[in-house]
Amino acid sequence: MVFDSLRDRMGGHDNVTPMSIAHNSLFTAKEKIELLNQLKADVTGATQEGTELGFGPEEIDEAIAEVRQGVQSGVGSETVVKGDF
């Protein structure tokens, strides 16, 4: 499940939200959209099984829209290079 590996990469269980992925400077816009789409599939499957993950597909759609809007504005097309922060 993509959710587990994302949680580890972002520093713990409570740090993974669709918007935290959308605003993460370590992912390119393409990576963010891929991750959000995978997360949406996981959330949809979990919801069908009766498991709640703290957010729904609608919130993920909003994060995807925000990433796309950022791309149109020229934001998020590159990742942070080591030493940039």
Side-chain angles (χ1 to χ4, degrees):
M1 182 177 191
V2 71
F3 187 68
D4 295 329
S5 61
L6 276 175
R7 178 176 41 216
D8 293 339
R9 290 176 72 183
M10 296 184 77
H13 181 72
D14 295 333
N15 293 335
V16 179
T17 65
M19 283 302 175
S20 68
I21 294 169
H23 296 156
N24 191 311
S25 62
L26 298 177
F27 298 120
T28 64
K30 180 181 177 183
E31 291 169 328
K32 291 174 187 180
I33 290 175
E34 289 174 357
L35 289 169
L36 289 165
N37 282 324
Q38 290 174 0
L39 186 60
K40 185 176 178 181
D42 289 344
V43 167
T44 301
T47 301
Q48 290 174 350
E49 294 172 3
T51 305
E52 290 295 322
L53 297 178
F55 47 84
E58 302 82 17
E59 188 175 341
I60 297 169
D61 289 337
E62 291 173 14
I64 291 170
E66 190 163 318
V67 171
R68 288 185 175 148
Q69 183 180 10
V71 169
Q72 291 175 349
S73 301
V75 176
S77 59
E78 298 179 1
T79 59
V80 173
V81 178
K82 184 177 179 181
D84 284 352
F85 57 94

